Amino acid sequence: MDDKAILNRISELVDEEHRLRSTAQAHESGTEDEGDRLRTLEESLDQCWDLLRRRRAARETHGDPDAQGERPRPAVERYLQ
Protein backbone atom coordinates (compact mmCIF):
# COMPACT_ATOMS: atom_id res chain seq x y z
CA MET A 1 0.00 0.00 0.00
CA ASP A 2 1.46 3.37 -0.98
CA ASP A 3 1.04 6.69 0.82
CA LYS A 4 -1.79 7.80 -1.45
CA ALA A 5 -3.76 4.62 -0.76
CA ILE A 6 -3.18 5.04 2.98
CA LEU A 7 -4.39 8.65 2.85
CA ASN A 8 -7.46 7.58 0.87
CA ARG A 9 -8.22 4.91 3.48
CA ILE A 10 -7.81 7.49 6.26
CA SER A 11 -10.25 9.77 4.47
CA GLU A 12 -12.81 6.96 4.12
CA LEU A 13 -12.50 6.04 7.78
CA VAL A 14 -12.84 9.67 8.91
CA ASP A 15 -15.93 10.13 6.72
CA GLU A 16 -17.55 7.05 8.24
CA GLU A 17 -16.57 8.18 11.74
CA HIS A 18 -18.18 11.58 11.16
CA ARG A 19 -21.38 9.95 9.85
CA LEU A 20 -21.64 7.70 12.89
CA ARG A 21 -20.98 10.55 15.31
CA SER A 22 -23.55 12.77 13.58
CA THR A 23 -26.14 10.01 13.74
CA ALA A 24 -25.41 9.40 17.41
CA GLN A 25 -25.68 13.11 18.21
CA ALA A 26 -28.93 13.46 16.29
CA HIS A 27 -30.46 10.67 18.33
CA GLU A 28 -28.71 11.83 21.54
CA SER A 29 -27.32 8.35 22.04
CA GLY A 30 -25.72 5.69 19.98
CA THR A 31 -26.38 2.00 19.94
CA GLU A 32 -23.88 -0.47 21.29
CA ASP A 33 -23.12 -1.54 17.72
CA GLU A 34 -22.37 2.06 16.75
CA GLY A 35 -20.07 2.42 19.75
CA ASP A 36 -18.25 -0.77 18.79
CA ARG A 37 -17.92 0.42 15.20
CA LEU A 38 -16.55 3.79 16.37
CA ARG A 39 -13.89 2.05 18.47
CA THR A 40 -12.95 -0.13 15.50
CA LEU A 41 -12.74 2.95 13.26
CA GLU A 42 -10.53 4.77 15.76
CA GLU A 43 -8.21 1.78 16.01
CA SER A 44 -8.05 1.44 12.22
CA LEU A 45 -7.25 5.14 11.94
CA ASP A 46 -4.45 4.75 14.47
CA GLN A 47 -3.03 1.88 12.44
CA CYS A 48 -3.16 3.87 9.21
CA TRP A 49 -1.50 6.94 10.75
CA ASP A 50 1.18 4.74 12.32
CA LEU A 51 1.92 3.09 8.98
CA LEU A 52 2.03 6.43 7.17
CA ARG A 53 4.43 7.92 9.77
CA ARG A 54 6.73 4.90 9.61
CA ARG A 55 6.75 4.95 5.78
CA ARG A 56 7.67 8.65 5.82
CA ALA A 57 10.36 8.06 8.43
CA ALA A 58 11.83 5.23 6.36
CA ARG A 59 11.90 7.47 3.29
CA GLU A 60 13.63 10.28 5.23
CA THR A 61 16.31 7.90 6.50
CA HIS A 62 16.82 6.39 3.03
CA GLY A 63 15.06 3.19 4.02
CA ASP A 64 12.45 1.27 2.10
CA PRO A 65 8.94 2.55 2.86
CA ASP A 66 7.46 -0.55 1.21
CA ALA A 67 9.18 -2.72 3.81
CA GLN A 68 6.90 -1.18 6.45
CA GLY A 69 3.83 -3.21 7.28
CA GLU A 70 0.75 -2.50 9.29
CA ARG A 71 1.26 -3.18 12.99
CA PRO A 72 -1.35 -5.11 14.96
CA ARG A 73 -4.01 -3.04 16.71
CA PRO A 74 -2.90 -3.93 20.24
CA ALA A 75 0.64 -2.73 19.50
CA VAL A 76 -0.54 0.59 18.07
CA GLU A 77 -3.11 1.16 20.81
CA ARG A 78 -0.48 0.92 23.57
CA TYR A 79 1.38 3.97 22.28
CA LEU A 80 1.33 7.02 24.50
CA GLN A 81 -0.35 9.97 22.85
Side-chain angles (χ1 to χ4, degrees):
M1 186 180 298
D2 65 0
D3 290 4
K4 185 175 180 179
I6 296 168
L7 288 167
N8 285 338
R9 181 70 180 137
I10 288 170
S11 180
E12 291 168 0
L13 292 169
V14 167
D15 289 345
E16 184 177 355
E17 180 184 27
H18 287 173
R19 281 192 302 275
L20 281 172
R21 289 189 189 282
S22 293
T23 301
Q25 286 178 348
H27 297 101
E28 295 185 22
S29 67
T31 66
E32 187 174 328
D33 288 339
E34 288 171 335
D36 290 343
R37 181 62 186 147
L38 276 171
R39 277 186 291 286
T40 301
L41 284 170
E42 291 167 353
E43 291 169 355
S44 294
L45 278 167
D46 290 345
Q47 282 181 295
C48 288
W49 282 116
D50 173 68
L51 177 57
L52 187 61
R53 281 187 209 98
R54 288 186 303 106
R55 286 179 55 83
R56 289 175 175 171
R59 197 174 292 112
E60 288 174 12
T61 59
H62 307 290
D64 181 8
D66 293 328
Q68 304 301 314
E70 191 173 272
R71 292 184 191 184
R73 285 183 180 168
V76 173
E77 290 304 304
R78 285 193 295 256
Y79 293 153
L80 296 176
Q81 299 283 325

